[in-house]
Amino acid sequence: MNFKAFVKECHEKEVFKNLSIYIVSSWVLIQVFSVIYEPFGLPKISMTYLLLVLLIGFPFYVYLIWRYRLKPLESRFSRRKGLKVTSKSANSAEEIKGLKKRKVHLPGVHFYSPFQKLYFTSLFVITLVSLFSAALIVKANFINQENMSAFTFPEEPDNDRIAVLPFENNTTDPNMDVVGKMAVDWIMHGITQNKVGQVISPQVVEDYTKVLKATLVPTGENGVLKEYLKPSKVVTGTYYLKDGRLLLQCSVLDGNMNRTLVSFEITECDADSPLDCIEAIKQRVLGYLDSKGMAQLALEETPPNYTAYKLWLESDALLELQSDEQLKYINEAIAADSSFFKPKIDRVAYYYNRDQFAVADSLLQVLAAETGTKKEQLNMIQHYEACFKGDNRTAYRTYQEEYNVAPIEIELNLSTMVLALQFVNRPQDVDSIYAAIPKNDFDLDNCISCEYRYFVKGMANLELGKVDETIELLEPYARTAGQEWIKEVLMKAYVLDEDHAAVYELLQHIRLLGRIDYWQLMMLKTGLEYLKTGDETNANRYFDDVLAYQEKRGNLLTPAEKELSAEITFYKKDFPEAEKRIEEVLTESTNEIPMLSFLAMSSHKNGKDEKAKQTLERIENLRAKYQFGEVDYALARYYVFTGQDASALDHLTKAVAAGKRFTSTTFQNDVLFQSLRSSERFKKILTFWY
């Protein structure tokens, strides 16, 4: 029987009709289930289970069609017609040929016909296709997943995450919004300080809602919580006014927010003293969450002044905007309550982040002198003290304690990644920190911190030799309008992968976007990456393009462009011209120590050893506090350039001990130190903080 005849017979025996019943029914079931699974509280993975069942069940259904519909027809055919045809009664060659193809048996013995052979052959193919499709689903949804607990059906997530949602203001007075914020903050601090669980704050939920792409999770607060953050419990509440009194109510829900675990009695207090209600509610929440009855400790020694707390909230909101107005509100909060610790440590951070280290350090010393024995406060002070001393190991260790409280908070997670990679050069730690936030699809246009997480993860990958993984992670952002940090790492990966066409296209795309200053900087960095691989031809190609562009601009070059031009000329080994250009930009350079190092190296190459020596003395005379090894690093570059490897390694050791950071352009990533990479002393420098 040929295939056309087989299809015709299937049609006559209503095989396709029965198959369509299964397919249509399955489709309807999938559509209905996609609508009802969430209201029933089923996990998203349940849809995958349903697809697997329908796929695997299809071959069984095809067999059942044969067993109960087609086989009886074949049996009647054998009894009615098949036994009449024998070798003696066959009247034609066609009947004899058909007889050979059909094995006719007595009742109870297997009966084979051409139709049955093709039917079971088709069933075999359908079975293979179904199993292959099921295997793909299993691989995509189970084998490649890091957290297999996501595929179970727990009544409640089995973890210690506790989400604290905003308390609803039902007073109709917008000025009372601060009461809800204070209640949330107070409960969160109580949970973290008593180590009751891992807190998911309203800010975390808001950040995830903003930066996660719409296709990833359902929109809204509840969708992010249930589908992504997956807490085990959710604390929520409301408050209102009655006869001049503030009434505050609080409940604890399960992780799916469809069952109330406990609803506390309403707490009442004076409307002008909301902390009385908030403290009482906090005690009840902690008492429920922690049956051990530990002594209740908050971030502060005592609750802050209500006015001070409102001012601090204003300063905290301005922190995200990096506004200079933040300092004003910080100082006002401290003035309103001199015992309020949080704005004081925020003031230290404000000056530290703006490189005003002397001011920040003096404020920290004052704060340390007036701080008691509170472990959490002392840990924060110790962290900043280590930063000012260049003690990167202690800075990393103390910050890890903060990170362990809320590892999924984006800002906290990012800062720990930066400390691991740039402070102590432990790229092997970055992966686990990065993975603490579940596999994500952030909208980087709305999340600068998310972009920098990709940058740090990519740099760590390159340090560990994971070039292909880096390209796979970052390549989707090669043609975007922003994400400049990501493009730098992607360029490095392309160079290491020897994909010269991809490097060129990436740089051309950057230039077309109109960010000419950034394009020039990236051209320099690209040239340096090629020099690190020993490819001077491609390096000079990028250097020359920048110099040609700058030549057209003539006298319109900015100081930054002139400085970049001097560096490029140096790396092109045109030392007479480099010396000239460096001297021209030194008077207005913001990078005096590095530029003096370039000048000393150029002077040495030009045979002006006395001038080089005088330049080194100028660098030495620039030593000051809070430089974190910058002078010794500049001297190390000079000595390795002049072939004095032992002196270079001595100064590199001093630089790293003083807190010099491991960035994308220092130590192992500095083109001048490539000749030292195989040195045991250099390897020890890279692991100095281990």
Side-chain angles (χ1 to χ4, degrees), residues 38-100:
E38 189 169 4
F40 276 89
L42 296 174
K44 204 171 185 178
I45 197 66
S46 54
M47 177 63 77
T48 304
Y49 285 125
L50 176 61
L51 288 174
L52 286 173
V53 170
L54 294 175
L55 271 173
I56 295 173
F58 188 57
F60 288 102
Y61 180 77
V62 175
Y63 172 76
L64 292 176
I65 292 176
W66 164 263
R67 178 68 179 79
Y68 294 105
R69 295 190 64 86
L70 301 180
K71 186 177 179 182
L73 295 176
E74 290 288 313
S75 299
R76 288 197 295 274
F77 171 79
S78 64
R79 291 194 298 269
R80 183 178 69 255
K81 180 179 179 182
L83 292 177
K84 294 181 181 179
V85 183
T86 65
S87 57
K88 293 182 179 180
S89 61
N91 297 321
S92 65
E94 185 178 348
E95 286 186 344
I96 294 174
K97 182 178 179 181
L99 179 64
K100 289 179 179 178

Side-chain angles (χ1 to χ4, degrees), residues 558-568 585 589-591 595:
T558 64
E561 287 177 313
K562 292 177 182 178
E563 191 172 304
L564 186 140
S565 172
E567 286 190 45
I568 289 178
V585 301
S589 174
T590 57
N591 301 305
M595 294 309 294

